[in-house]
Amino acid sequence: MRTLYLDCSMGAAGDMLTAALLELHPEPETFVERLNHIGLQGVAFRTEKTEKCGIVGTHMVVTVNGIEESDALQYHEHDHEHHGLNALEHIISQLRIPQKVRENMAGVYHSIADAESHVHAVPVEEIHFHEVGALDAVADIAAVCLLLHELAPERIEASPIHVGSGQVRCAHGILPVPAPATALILRGIPTYGSNVQGELCTPTGAALLKYFVQQFGVQPPMRVEKIGYGCGKKDFEQANCVRALLGETSRSRENIIELCCNLDDMTPEAIGFAMETLLAAGALDVYTIPAGMKKNRPGILFTCMCRSEQREEMLRLMFLHTTTLGIRESVCNRYTLKRSIKKVETDYGPVRVKEAEGWGVRREKTEYEDLARFAKEKGISILQLEKLVNDV
């Protein structure tokens, strides 16, 4: 599987993500030239090589009417035009970019708008963006969305995000790091601070990562083909850059959570209800295994398998619907076959067939529920129906 991994050990900003992804692009100069003609009035992109702690990478310079992003705060506080969400959506709709890129840009901005709305306690429609709403941020988001569209990774993963520490000065005054809107956007995503003073993850960077990244954690085993370094403007003891790695990972590997508890005082009906509830809530699987308990009591090992982002909800439901006083957690690697469903037309109607392949294996299985329904309606056996489907 073509996988992009983003190392955010020095945070993430829109320009840094743009520069890192640009180094992965097969034609970076041509891409920047096209970027300058997508229809962002007054916005100009250019790149420059820079060095951070001995690492040579790319710094993306974005200017709005000749003013660079690093000078944007003073510009915001005086005569820079601010934008509401509707105005930004109009700007996005006029850009000369693929429709999918427009949709992704709008999705990123809605994430920012929701956070700003919550922080300022005003409706989304009344939000007027400052740092994140100016044209420089529109430019960063357009560049990242377009680069990801053209690089077309099948999966995007990232490290936990380093947010920095201390305080940051913005249009509203001096705020703690991470800034309130950034902290809200990053809810549910693994982050950490350190003795590095400053804002390492910006609202724009946070929103882009939240929108595109499918899993946060350590780098998966991958055959790396290209590496890109997107450098920030500031200098720290650590190299101030986002590192992007593009390569191949095993198509079938993913991390899942296994939540287990022992039960010896529940009825079969109550256990069945708990299983149904967890499955309805999106658990990957729920199962029980007979177990010998203390005091020689027969009991069961109750296990729920879920993705990491489902952990809190599954824990809540297990405590609510079982009598357990404690739940154990294990993180597992799961390897799966690639699955799909096709429909086969028969004399009795369409029947779904589940297909699976990978690891040198290919197999098919007819959907039982479809077979059972036709078997009841036509008064024939499931075996007869299976043979009919296999002969098609």
Side-chain angles (χ1 to χ4, degrees):
M1 178 183 293
R2 189 171 175 80
T3 298
L4 172 68
Y5 184 78
L6 300 170
D7 178 356
C8 303
S9 55
M10 279 299 284
D15 60 334
M16 294 168 70
L17 288 167
T18 300
L21 296 173
L22 186 64
E23 290 205 341
L24 304 179
H25 197 280
E27 298 178 340
E29 294 85 4
T30 303
F31 180 87
V32 174
E33 185 179 338
R34 286 192 286 118
L35 205 55
N36 279 311
H37 294 87
I38 62 173
L40 278 172
Q41 296 298 319
V43 175
F45 297 84
R46 65 178 175 84
T47 62
E48 57 186 24
K49 286 297 178 182
T50 186
E51 182 180 316
K52 299 293 178 183
C53 298
I55 298 172
V56 176
T58 298
H59 173 60
M60 175 62 74
V61 180
V62 179
T63 58
V64 179
N65 298 322
I67 296 177
E68 192 177 345
E69 286 180 291
S70 59
D71 302 321
L73 178 59
Q74 182 178 358
Y75 195 39
H76 285 309
E77 292 177 335
H78 292 89
D79 57 355
H80 197 316
E81 180 183 0
H82 293 164
H83 300 281
L85 185 60
N86 288 339
L88 289 169
E89 288 176 337
H90 177 72
I91 292 171
I92 293 169
S93 70
Q94 301 303 306
L95 298 181
R96 292 186 287 275
I97 53 178
Q99 179 59 29
K100 181 61 178 175
V101 178
R102 288 196 194 93
E103 293 171 4
N104 288 338
M105 287 186 67
V108 172
Y109 262 113
H110 275 283
S111 175
I112 298 171
D114 289 342
E116 293 281 354
S117 171
H118 184 88
V119 168
H120 299 297
V122 297
V124 171
E125 296 77 16
E126 296 179 18
I127 288 294
H128 287 274
F129 295 96
H130 296 283
E131 285 81 359
V132 294
L135 283 176
D136 49 10
V138 178
D140 288 339
I141 293 172
V144 170
C145 290
L146 188 56
L147 278 163
L148 288 174
H149 180 74
E150 296 190 6
L151 291 172
E154 297 174 79
R155 183 169 179 80
I156 302 176
E157 298 189 23
S159 68
I161 303 168
H162 187 179
V163 296
S165 63
Q167 298 174 322
V168 60
R169 182 175 180 82
C170 70
H172 296 290
I174 297 175
L175 299 175
V177 171
T182 305
L184 202 61
I185 293 168
L186 293 175
R187 238 180 356 181
I189 294 173
T191 63
Y192 63 98
S194 73
N195 59 358
V196 177
Q197 293 285 311
E199 181 187 40
L200 298 185
C201 185
T202 66
T204 303
L208 286 163
L209 292 171
K210 184 182 182 70
Y211 185 82
F212 284 108
V213 174
Q214 294 154 281
Q215 182 169 319
F216 291 88
V218 298
Q219 178 188 325
M222 60 188 297
R223 293 187 297 276
V224 177
E225 298 168 1
K226 288 186 175 182
I227 302 175
Y229 290 92
C231 299
K233 197 160 189 178
K234 294 181 180 178
D235 291 314
F236 300 98
E237 288 187 10
Q238 297 173 240
N240 183 24
C241 58
V242 168
R243 180 166 61 175
L245 298 94
L246 187 64
E248 290 292 323
T249 60
S250 170
R251 181 175 295 273
S252 58
R253 176 189 173 275
E254 64 174 328
N255 290 333
I256 61 167
I257 305 296
E258 198 172 69
L259 303 172
C260 304
C261 62
N262 293 359
L263 303 170
D264 65 0
D265 57 353
M266 289 182 65
T267 66
E269 294 88 350
I271 291 171
F273 182 80
M275 295 176 70
E276 291 173 6
T277 302
L278 287 161
L279 288 167
L284 295 172
D285 200 2
V286 184
Y287 60 91
T288 61
I289 299 174
M293 308 287 288
K294 62 184 178 182
K295 300 182 181 179
N296 297 318
R297 294 174 183 171
I300 65 162
L301 172 64
F302 186 101
T303 302
C304 170
M305 294 166 55
C306 66
R307 293 187 170 87
S308 58
E309 61 268 24
Q310 300 172 301
R311 175 196 287 111
E312 296 300 319
E313 178 64 8
M314 295 301 152
L315 285 170
R316 186 185 71 82
L317 291 174
M318 286 178 70
F319 279 121
L320 178 63
H321 293 290
T322 73
T323 56
T324 188
L325 300 177
I327 297 171
R328 300 179 298 279
E329 174 187 285
S330 301
V331 179
C332 308
N333 288 332
R334 183 170 79 144
Y335 299 88
T336 60
L337 299 179
K338 182 181 179 182
R339 287 164 281 187
S340 60
I341 295 178
K342 68 177 181 180
K343 284 189 177 181
V344 175
E345 293 294 333
T346 72
D347 293 340
Y348 302 110
V351 174
R352 290 170 293 172
V353 177
K354 293 181 283 190
E355 299 178 305
E357 63 176 321
W359 300 86
V361 173
R362 180 180 177 82
R363 59 174 67 109
E364 294 184 348
K365 185 177 181 181
T366 310
E367 177 59 55
Y368 168 78
E369 298 296 339
D370 291 351
L371 295 178
R373 184 176 74 256
F374 288 131
K376 290 176 184 176
E377 291 175 359
K378 306 301 180 182
I380 60 177
S381 73
I382 286 179
L383 290 177
Q384 287 175 287
L385 279 168
E386 269 189 317
K387 186 176 186 305
L388 182 63
V389 172
N390 291 335
D391 289 342
V392 172

